Amino acid sequence: MATLNYSIHERIPSVSEHKFIWESVGWGSINTEVSKGSLKNSLYGVVVTINDEPVGMGRIVGDDFMYFYIQDVAILPSFQGLGIGKEILEYLLTYIKRRRLDSGIAFVGLFASEGNDAFYEKYGFKNHSPHMTGMFRVFEN
């Protein structure tokens, strides 16, 4: 098997990269005016490219001090299972480890796509129910 030659860029995805990957992984369509503001307020991001074309992304939102939320970790379906997601997550977690105070604590949250729980569990993420319940609410038109 040939070696996969990809590049990792420590930057927030562009609106067009985000839209392309978001829609390619089946998360539906996205309003780019909304995503533009969301991306602008991200703390950190990673984009993976092959031949200058985006194939994966991940980013962090939060207060950049105590609370961090891993968001939009996605790899194009044809490149899944090749270790790209692992690389993205390692970059994101390294950023968080650098940002938190040595004497402090960092709360890191995420929502895993269906069937991806085991991937994140390898990195210490776990379901804390029934003592804690992850909840969210969506406001839409």
Side-chain angles (χ1 to χ4, degrees):
M1 181 173 157
T3 302
L4 187 62
N5 189 16
Y6 59 88
S7 300
I8 300 175
H9 311 274
E10 292 183 85
R11 63 173 175 78
I12 308 300
S14 70
V15 173
S16 61
E17 289 169 332
H18 184 264
K19 177 180 174 54
F20 172 68
I21 295 171
W22 176 286
E23 292 178 356
S24 294
V25 298
W27 290 346
S29 61
I30 191 163
N31 178 324
T32 55
E33 285 302 309
V34 172
S35 65
K36 180 179 178 182
S38 180
L39 292 166
K40 178 182 157 212
N41 288 302
S42 299
L43 300 175
Y44 174 78
V46 175
V47 177
V48 178
T49 61
I50 295 177
N51 298 325
D52 297 323
E53 296 296 323
V55 299
M57 67 179 177
R59 64 188 180 108
I60 299 172
V61 298
D63 64 15
D64 208 23
F65 194 77
M66 185 174 172
Y67 295 100
F68 301 87
Y69 190 84
I70 294 175
Q71 186 66 43
D72 297 341
V73 175
I75 297 90
L76 296 182
S78 58
F79 294 98
Q80 292 176 5
L82 301 174
I84 295 172
K86 177 182 175 182
E87 290 252 27
I88 290 171
L89 193 57
E90 287 175 357
Y91 270 79
L92 299 176
L93 294 174
T94 296
Y95 174 87
I96 293 167
K97 289 174 188 174
R98 285 193 320 249
R99 295 298 303 158
R100 76 168 188 88
L101 295 177
D102 288 339
S103 61
I105 189 168
F107 291 94
V108 184
L110 60 77
F111 281 97
S113 298
E114 185 176 5
N116 288 323
D117 296 15
F119 173 77
Y120 293 105
E121 287 170 353
K122 292 177 192 173
Y123 294 90
F125 290 91
K126 62 182 176 176
N127 182 339
H128 287 273
S129 64
H131 305 292
M132 295 171 64
T133 303
M135 301 173 74
F136 69 96
R137 179 177 177 181
V138 176
F139 288 94
E140 53 187 337
N141 296 336

PDB file of all heavy atoms in Angstrom, residues 92-122:
ATOM      1  N   LEU A  92      -5.474  18.761  18.343  1.00  0.00           N
ATOM      2  CA  LEU A  92      -6.437  19.505  19.147  1.00  0.00           C
ATOM      3  C   LEU A  92      -6.150  19.333  20.644  1.00  0.00           C
ATOM      4  O   LEU A  92      -6.148  20.312  21.404  1.00  0.00           O
ATOM      5  CB  LEU A  92      -7.861  19.072  18.821  1.00  0.00           C
ATOM      6  CG  LEU A  92      -8.328  19.286  17.383  1.00  0.00           C
ATOM      7  CD1 LEU A  92      -9.722  18.709  17.182  1.00  0.00           C
ATOM      8  CD2 LEU A  92      -8.288  20.750  16.984  1.00  0.00           C
ATOM      9  N   LEU A  93      -5.889  18.108  21.074  1.00  0.00           N
ATOM     10  CA  LEU A  93      -5.612  17.857  22.484  1.00  0.00           C
ATOM     11  C   LEU A  93      -4.295  18.483  22.923  1.00  0.00           C
ATOM     12  O   LEU A  93      -4.186  18.973  24.052  1.00  0.00           O
ATOM     13  CB  LEU A  93      -5.630  16.354  22.765  1.00  0.00           C
ATOM     14  CG  LEU A  93      -6.998  15.682  22.603  1.00  0.00           C
ATOM     15  CD1 LEU A  93      -6.872  14.169  22.766  1.00  0.00           C
ATOM     16  CD2 LEU A  93      -8.020  16.257  23.571  1.00  0.00           C
ATOM     17  N   THR A  94      -3.307  18.492  22.050  1.00  0.00           N
ATOM     18  CA  THR A  94      -2.036  19.142  22.377  1.00  0.00           C
ATOM     19  C   THR A  94      -2.238  20.629  22.601  1.00  0.00           C
ATOM     20  O   THR A  94      -1.670  21.216  23.531  1.00  0.00           O
ATOM     21  CB  THR A  94      -0.997  18.886  21.264  1.00  0.00           C
ATOM     22  OG1 THR A  94      -0.739  17.481  21.214  1.00  0.00           O
ATOM     23  CG2 THR A  94       0.296  19.647  21.512  1.00  0.00           C
ATOM     24  N   TYR A  95      -3.052  21.256  21.769  1.00  0.00           N
ATOM     25  CA  TYR A  95      -3.360  22.678  21.954  1.00  0.00           C
ATOM     26  C   TYR A  95      -3.974  22.907  23.335  1.00  0.00           C
ATOM     27  O   TYR A  95      -3.570  23.820  24.064  1.00  0.00           O
ATOM     28  CB  TYR A  95      -4.324  23.163  20.865  1.00  0.00           C
ATOM     29  CG  TYR A  95      -4.794  24.578  21.086  1.00  0.00           C
ATOM     30  CD1 TYR A  95      -4.063  25.657  20.613  1.00  0.00           C
ATOM     31  CD2 TYR A  95      -5.962  24.841  21.799  1.00  0.00           C
ATOM     32  CE1 TYR A  95      -4.484  26.960  20.840  1.00  0.00           C
ATOM     33  CE2 TYR A  95      -6.393  26.138  22.030  1.00  0.00           C
ATOM     34  CZ  TYR A  95      -5.655  27.192  21.550  1.00  0.00           C
ATOM     35  OH  TYR A  95      -6.063  28.474  21.780  1.00  0.00           O
ATOM     36  N   ILE A  96      -4.934  22.082  23.701  1.00  0.00           N
ATOM     37  CA  ILE A  96      -5.604  22.251  24.999  1.00  0.00           C
ATOM     38  C   ILE A  96      -4.616  22.060  26.144  1.00  0.00           C
ATOM     39  O   ILE A  96      -4.606  22.837  27.102  1.00  0.00           O
ATOM     40  CB  ILE A  96      -6.792  21.279  25.116  1.00  0.00           C
ATOM     41  CG1 ILE A  96      -7.878  21.670  24.105  1.00  0.00           C
ATOM     42  CG2 ILE A  96      -7.346  21.264  26.539  1.00  0.00           C
ATOM     43  CD1 ILE A  96      -8.961  20.632  23.900  1.00  0.00           C
ATOM     44  N   LYS A  97      -3.776  21.067  26.049  1.00  0.00           N
ATOM     45  CA  LYS A  97      -2.786  20.818  27.105  1.00  0.00           C
ATOM     46  C   LYS A  97      -1.836  21.998  27.264  1.00  0.00           C
ATOM     47  O   LYS A  97      -1.422  22.332  28.376  1.00  0.00           O
ATOM     48  CB  LYS A  97      -2.003  19.542  26.814  1.00  0.00           C
ATOM     49  CG  LYS A  97      -2.830  18.288  26.979  1.00  0.00           C
ATOM     50  CD  LYS A  97      -2.042  17.060  26.525  1.00  0.00           C
ATOM     51  CE  LYS A  97      -2.912  15.831  26.499  1.00  0.00           C
ATOM     52  NZ  LYS A  97      -2.210  14.672  25.927  1.00  0.00           N
ATOM     53  N   ARG A  98      -1.485  22.648  26.162  1.00  0.00           N
ATOM     54  CA  ARG A  98      -0.599  23.824  26.225  1.00  0.00           C
ATOM     55  C   ARG A  98      -1.298  25.021  26.844  1.00  0.00           C
ATOM     56  O   ARG A  98      -0.666  25.852  27.488  1.00  0.00           O
ATOM     57  CB  ARG A  98      -0.115  24.204  24.826  1.00  0.00           C
ATOM     58  CG  ARG A  98       0.935  23.317  24.244  1.00  0.00           C
ATOM     59  CD  ARG A  98       1.595  23.915  22.993  1.00  0.00           C
ATOM     60  NE  ARG A  98       0.672  24.592  22.107  1.00  0.00           N
ATOM     61  CZ  ARG A  98       0.313  24.165  20.899  1.00  0.00           C
ATOM     62  NH1 ARG A  98       0.801  23.038  20.430  1.00  0.00           N
ATOM     63  NH2 ARG A  98      -0.525  24.850  20.158  1.00  0.00           N
ATOM     64  N   ARG A  99      -2.593  25.158  26.624  1.00  0.00           N
ATOM     65  CA  ARG A  99      -3.342  26.338  27.068  1.00  0.00           C
ATOM     66  C   ARG A  99      -3.732  26.280  28.538  1.00  0.00           C
ATOM     67  O   ARG A  99      -3.819  27.303  29.186  1.00  0.00           O
ATOM     68  CB  ARG A  99      -4.611  26.515  26.226  1.00  0.00           C
ATOM     69  CG  ARG A  99      -4.358  26.825  24.778  1.00  0.00           C
ATOM     70  CD  ARG A  99      -3.628  28.128  24.582  1.00  0.00           C
ATOM     71  NE  ARG A  99      -4.379  29.209  25.201  1.00  0.00           N
ATOM     72  CZ  ARG A  99      -3.857  30.367  25.569  1.00  0.00           C
ATOM     73  NH1 ARG A  99      -2.585  30.604  25.389  1.00  0.00           N
ATOM     74  NH2 ARG A  99      -4.599  31.300  26.116  1.00  0.00           N
ATOM     75  N   ARG A 100      -3.997  25.127  29.063  1.00  0.00           N
ATOM     76  CA  ARG A 100      -4.473  25.058  30.446  1.00  0.00           C
ATOM     77  C   ARG A 100      -3.317  25.355  31.401  1.00  0.00           C
ATOM     78  O   ARG A 100      -2.158  25.082  31.106  1.00  0.00           O
ATOM     79  CB  ARG A 100      -5.115  23.725  30.759  1.00  0.00           C
ATOM     80  CG  ARG A 100      -4.144  22.592  30.959  1.00  0.00           C
ATOM     81  CD  ARG A 100      -4.860  21.388  31.540  1.00  0.00           C
ATOM     82  NE  ARG A 100      -3.905  20.376  31.906  1.00  0.00           N
ATOM     83  CZ  ARG A 100      -3.301  20.299  33.092  1.00  0.00           C
ATOM     84  NH1 ARG A 100      -3.562  21.168  34.034  1.00  0.00           N
ATOM     85  NH2 ARG A 100      -2.432  19.338  33.337  1.00  0.00           N
ATOM     86  N   LEU A 101      -3.666  25.898  32.545  1.00  0.00           N
ATOM     87  CA  LEU A 101      -2.659  26.194  33.562  1.00  0.00           C
ATOM     88  C   LEU A 101      -2.175  24.895  34.185  1.00  0.00           C
ATOM     89  O   LEU A 101      -2.956  23.959  34.385  1.00  0.00           O
ATOM     90  CB  LEU A 101      -3.255  27.088  34.650  1.00  0.00           C
ATOM     91  CG  LEU A 101      -3.684  28.480  34.220  1.00  0.00           C
ATOM     92  CD1 LEU A 101      -4.327  29.210  35.391  1.00  0.00           C
ATOM     93  CD2 LEU A 101      -2.501  29.270  33.696  1.00  0.00           C
ATOM     94  N   ASP A 102      -0.900  24.850  34.537  1.00  0.00           N
ATOM     95  CA  ASP A 102      -0.367  23.653  35.185  1.00  0.00           C
ATOM     96  C   ASP A 102      -1.113  23.343  36.474  1.00  0.00           C
ATOM     97  O   ASP A 102      -1.281  22.190  36.838  1.00  0.00           O
ATOM     98  CB  ASP A 102       1.127  23.833  35.482  1.00  0.00           C
ATOM     99  CG  ASP A 102       1.976  23.782  34.227  1.00  0.00           C
ATOM    100  OD1 ASP A 102       1.505  23.218  33.205  1.00  0.00           O
ATOM    101  OD2 ASP A 102       3.098  24.303  34.257  1.00  0.00           O
ATOM    102  N   SER A 103      -1.535  24.393  37.171  1.00  0.00           N
ATOM    103  CA  SER A 103      -2.233  24.205  38.441  1.00  0.00           C
ATOM    104  C   SER A 103      -3.746  24.168  38.269  1.00  0.00           C
ATOM    105  O   SER A 103      -4.479  24.122  39.245  1.00  0.00           O
ATOM    106  CB  SER A 103      -1.870  25.337  39.398  1.00  0.00           C
ATOM    107  OG  SER A 103      -2.263  26.586  38.844  1.00  0.00           O
ATOM    108  N   GLY A 104      -4.204  24.190  37.031  1.00  0.00           N
ATOM    109  CA  GLY A 104      -5.633  24.253  36.781  1.00  0.00           C
ATOM    110  C   GLY A 104      -6.189  22.996  36.161  1.00  0.00           C
ATOM    111  O   GLY A 104      -5.517  21.970  36.072  1.00  0.00           O
ATOM    112  N   ILE A 105      -7.405  23.113  35.731  1.00  0.00           N
ATOM    113  CA  ILE A 105      -8.118  22.000  35.144  1.00  0.00           C
ATOM    114  C   ILE A 105      -8.688  22.468  33.807  1.00  0.00           C
ATOM    115  O   ILE A 105      -8.978  23.646  33.640  1.00  0.00           O
ATOM    116  CB  ILE A 105      -9.234  21.509  36.090  1.00  0.00           C
ATOM    117  CG1 ILE A 105      -9.850  20.210  35.597  1.00  0.00           C
ATOM    118  CG2 ILE A 105     -10.285  22.573  36.304  1.00  0.00           C
ATOM    119  CD1 ILE A 105     -10.750  19.545  36.632  1.00  0.00           C
ATOM    120  N   ALA A 106      -8.811  21.570  32.877  1.00  0.00           N
ATOM    121  CA  ALA A 106      -9.444  21.887  31.602  1.00  0.00           C
ATOM    122  C   ALA A 106     -10.582  20.893  31.388  1.00  0.00           C
ATOM    123  O   ALA A 106     -10.370  19.683  31.451  1.00  0.00           O
ATOM    124  CB  ALA A 106      -8.437  21.794  30.458  1.00  0.00           C
ATOM    125  N   PHE A 107     -11.763  21.413  31.177  1.00  0.00           N
ATOM    126  CA  PHE A 107     -12.909  20.587  30.827  1.00  0.00           C
ATOM    127  C   PHE A 107     -12.996  20.555  29.308  1.00  0.00           C
ATOM    128  O   PHE A 107     -13.065  21.600  28.673  1.00  0.00           O
ATOM    129  CB  PHE A 107     -14.200  21.163  31.412  1.00  0.00           C
ATOM    130  CG  PHE A 107     -14.275  21.062  32.902  1.00  0.00           C
ATOM    131  CD1 PHE A 107     -13.866  22.110  33.705  1.00  0.00           C
ATOM    132  CD2 PHE A 107     -14.754  19.896  33.507  1.00  0.00           C
ATOM    133  CE1 PHE A 107     -13.934  22.020  35.081  1.00  0.00           C
ATOM    134  CE2 PHE A 107     -14.818  19.801  34.886  1.00  0.00           C
ATOM    135  CZ  PHE A 107     -14.405  20.860  35.682  1.00  0.00           C
ATOM    136  N   VAL A 108     -12.985  19.364  28.750  1.00  0.00           N
ATOM    137  CA  VAL A 108     -13.010  19.210  27.300  1.00  0.00           C
ATOM    138  C   VAL A 108     -14.247  18.386  26.933  1.00  0.00           C
ATOM    139  O   VAL A 108     -14.405  17.259  27.394  1.00  0.00           O
ATOM    140  CB  VAL A 108     -11.738  18.502  26.791  1.00  0.00           C
ATOM    141  CG1 VAL A 108     -11.742  18.432  25.271  1.00  0.00           C
ATOM    142  CG2 VAL A 108     -10.489  19.201  27.315  1.00  0.00           C
ATOM    143  N   GLY A 109     -15.091  18.979  26.105  1.00  0.00           N
ATOM    144  CA  GLY A 109     -16.306  18.286  25.704  1.00  0.00           C
ATOM    145  C   GLY A 109     -16.363  18.083  24.212  1.00  0.00           C
ATOM    146  O   GLY A 109     -15.650  18.737  23.446  1.00  0.00           O
ATOM    147  N   LEU A 110     -17.208  17.150  23.803  1.00  0.00           N
ATOM    148  CA  LEU A 110     -17.475  16.924  22.383  1.00  0.00           C
ATOM    149  C   LEU A 110     -18.713  16.060  22.254  1.00  0.00           C
ATOM    150  O   LEU A 110     -19.144  15.425  23.211  1.00  0.00           O
ATOM    151  CB  LEU A 110     -16.286  16.262  21.679  1.00  0.00           C
ATOM    152  CG  LEU A 110     -15.789  14.891  22.148  1.00  0.00           C
ATOM    153  CD1 LEU A 110     -16.653  13.733  21.685  1.00  0.00           C
ATOM    154  CD2 LEU A 110     -14.374  14.671  21.633  1.00  0.00           C
ATOM    155  N   PHE A 111     -19.285  16.071  21.092  1.00  0.00           N
ATOM    156  CA  PHE A 111     -20.344  15.134  20.728  1.00  0.00           C
ATOM    157  C   PHE A 111     -19.770  14.250  19.634  1.00  0.00           C
ATOM    158  O   PHE A 111     -19.273  14.742  18.624  1.00  0.00           O
ATOM    159  CB  PHE A 111     -21.588  15.860  20.190  1.00  0.00           C
ATOM    160  CG  PHE A 111     -22.441  16.445  21.275  1.00  0.00           C
ATOM    161  CD1 PHE A 111     -22.322  17.782  21.616  1.00  0.00           C
ATOM    162  CD2 PHE A 111     -23.366  15.655  21.948  1.00  0.00           C
ATOM    163  CE1 PHE A 111     -23.109  18.327  22.615  1.00  0.00           C
ATOM    164  CE2 PHE A 111     -24.158  16.194  22.948  1.00  0.00           C
ATOM    165  CZ  PHE A 111     -24.034  17.529  23.288  1.00  0.00           C
ATOM    166  N   ALA A 112     -19.832  12.956  19.836  1.00  0.00           N
ATOM    167  CA  ALA A 112     -19.336  12.009  18.834  1.00  0.00           C
ATOM    168  C   ALA A 112     -20.452  11.664  17.859  1.00  0.00           C
ATOM    169  O   ALA A 112     -21.597  11.467  18.276  1.00  0.00           O
ATOM    170  CB  ALA A 112     -18.832  10.744  19.522  1.00  0.00           C
ATOM    171  N   SER A 113     -20.111  11.598  16.595  1.00  0.00           N
ATOM    172  CA  SER A 113     -21.069  11.117  15.600  1.00  0.00           C
ATOM    173  C   SER A 113     -21.427   9.678  15.915  1.00  0.00           C
ATOM    174  O   SER A 113     -20.622   8.937  16.496  1.00  0.00           O
ATOM    175  CB  SER A 113     -20.468  11.202  14.201  1.00  0.00           C
ATOM    176  OG  SER A 113     -20.165  12.519  13.855  1.00  0.00           O
ATOM    177  N   GLU A 114     -22.594   9.274  15.510  1.00  0.00           N
ATOM    178  CA  GLU A 114     -23.054   7.922  15.785  1.00  0.00           C
ATOM    179  C   GLU A 114     -22.027   6.893  15.327  1.00  0.00           C
ATOM    180  O   GLU A 114     -21.505   6.959  14.215  1.00  0.00           O
ATOM    181  CB  GLU A 114     -24.383   7.679  15.053  1.00  0.00           C
ATOM    182  CG  GLU A 114     -25.003   6.349  15.376  1.00  0.00           C
ATOM    183  CD  GLU A 114     -26.358   6.153  14.718  1.00  0.00           C
ATOM    184  OE1 GLU A 114     -26.789   7.017  13.924  1.00  0.00           O
ATOM    185  OE2 GLU A 114     -26.978   5.117  14.995  1.00  0.00           O
ATOM    186  N   GLY A 115     -21.699   5.988  16.238  1.00  0.00           N
ATOM    187  CA  GLY A 115     -20.758   4.920  15.927  1.00  0.00           C
ATOM    188  C   GLY A 115     -19.297   5.263  16.174  1.00  0.00           C
ATOM    189  O   GLY A 115     -18.433   4.422  15.989  1.00  0.00           O
ATOM    190  N   ASN A 116     -19.015   6.501  16.603  1.00  0.00           N
ATOM    191  CA  ASN A 116     -17.621   6.905  16.806  1.00  0.00           C
ATOM    192  C   ASN A 116     -17.224   7.019  18.275  1.00  0.00           C
ATOM    193  O   ASN A 116     -16.143   7.511  18.578  1.00  0.00           O
ATOM    194  CB  ASN A 116     -17.348   8.233  16.096  1.00  0.00           C
ATOM    195  CG  ASN A 116     -17.297   8.058  14.601  1.00  0.00           C
ATOM    196  OD1 ASN A 116     -16.800   7.051  14.105  1.00  0.00           O
ATOM    197  ND2 ASN A 116     -17.829   9.014  13.875  1.00  0.00           N
ATOM    198  N   ASP A 117     -18.064   6.541  19.183  1.00  0.00           N
ATOM    199  CA  ASP A 117     -17.746   6.617  20.608  1.00  0.00           C
ATOM    200  C   ASP A 117     -16.403   5.962  20.938  1.00  0.00           C
ATOM    201  O   ASP A 117     -15.591   6.511  21.670  1.00  0.00           O
ATOM    202  CB  ASP A 117     -18.834   5.950  21.446  1.00  0.00           C
ATOM    203  CG  ASP A 117     -20.178   6.638  21.353  1.00  0.00           C
ATOM    204  OD1 ASP A 117     -20.374   7.455  20.435  1.00  0.00           O
ATOM    205  OD2 ASP A 117     -21.039   6.358  22.206  1.00  0.00           O
ATOM    206  N   ALA A 118     -16.177   4.782  20.405  1.00  0.00           N
ATOM    207  CA  ALA A 118     -14.957   4.030  20.720  1.00  0.00           C
ATOM    208  C   ALA A 118     -13.696   4.789  20.312  1.00  0.00           C
ATOM    209  O   ALA A 118     -12.676   4.724  21.004  1.00  0.00           O
ATOM    210  CB  ALA A 118     -14.986   2.655  20.057  1.00  0.00           C
ATOM    211  N   PHE A 119     -13.764   5.517  19.198  1.00  0.00           N
ATOM    212  CA  PHE A 119     -12.615   6.314  18.755  1.00  0.00           C
ATOM    213  C   PHE A 119     -12.226   7.323  19.835  1.00  0.00           C
ATOM    214  O   PHE A 119     -11.060   7.432  20.199  1.00  0.00           O
ATOM    215  CB  PHE A 119     -12.940   7.035  17.443  1.00  0.00           C
ATOM    216  CG  PHE A 119     -11.886   8.010  17.002  1.00  0.00           C
ATOM    217  CD1 PHE A 119     -10.715   7.569  16.420  1.00  0.00           C
ATOM    218  CD2 PHE A 119     -12.063   9.373  17.186  1.00  0.00           C
ATOM    219  CE1 PHE A 119      -9.726   8.475  16.009  1.00  0.00           C
ATOM    220  CE2 PHE A 119     -11.089  10.284  16.784  1.00  0.00           C
ATOM    221  CZ  PHE A 119      -9.924   9.825  16.197  1.00  0.00           C
ATOM    222  N   TYR A 120     -13.200   8.047  20.369  1.00  0.00           N
ATOM    223  CA  TYR A 120     -12.917   9.069  21.366  1.00  0.00           C
ATOM    224  C   TYR A 120     -12.594   8.479  22.740  1.00  0.00           C
ATOM    225  O   TYR A 120     -11.834   9.063  23.506  1.00  0.00           O
ATOM    226  CB  TYR A 120     -14.078  10.065  21.450  1.00  0.00           C
ATOM    227  CG  TYR A 120     -14.202  10.888  20.188  1.00  0.00           C
ATOM    228  CD1 TYR A 120     -15.198  10.641  19.259  1.00  0.00           C
ATOM    229  CD2 TYR A 120     -13.291  11.910  19.922  1.00  0.00           C
ATOM    230  CE1 TYR A 120     -15.294  11.388  18.091  1.00  0.00           C
ATOM    231  CE2 TYR A 120     -13.379  12.657  18.761  1.00  0.00           C
ATOM    232  CZ  TYR A 120     -14.380  12.386  17.857  1.00  0.00           C
ATOM    233  OH  TYR A 120     -14.467  13.126  16.703  1.00  0.00           O
ATOM    234  N   GLU A 121     -13.146   7.323  23.040  1.00  0.00           N
ATOM    235  CA  GLU A 121     -12.845   6.662  24.310  1.00  0.00           C
ATOM    236  C   GLU A 121     -11.354   6.322  24.415  1.00  0.00           C
ATOM    237  O   GLU A 121     -10.789   6.330  25.497  1.00  0.00           O
ATOM    238  CB  GLU A 121     -13.704   5.411  24.480  1.00  0.00           C
ATOM    239  CG  GLU A 121     -15.151   5.756  24.789  1.00  0.00           C
ATOM    240  CD  GLU A 121     -16.097   4.570  24.730  1.00  0.00           C
ATOM    241  OE1 GLU A 121     -15.666   3.458  24.305  1.00  0.00           O
ATOM    242  OE2 GLU A 121     -17.281   4.751  25.088  1.00  0.00           O
ATOM    243  N   LYS A 122     -10.703   6.065  23.283  1.00  0.00           N
ATOM    244  CA  LYS A 122      -9.260   5.786  23.288  1.00  0.00           C
ATOM    245  C   LYS A 122      -8.461   6.970  23.821  1.00  0.00           C
ATOM    246  O   LYS A 122      -7.315   6.814  24.239  1.00  0.00           O
ATOM    247  CB  LYS A 122      -8.778   5.461  21.870  1.00  0.00           C
ATOM    248  CG  LYS A 122      -9.302   4.172  21.310  1.00  0.00           C
ATOM    249  CD  LYS A 122      -8.819   3.995  19.880  1.00  0.00           C
ATOM    250  CE  LYS A 122      -9.549   2.886  19.184  1.00  0.00           C
ATOM    251  NZ  LYS A 122      -9.201   2.806  17.757  1.00  0.00           N
TER     252      LYS A 122
END
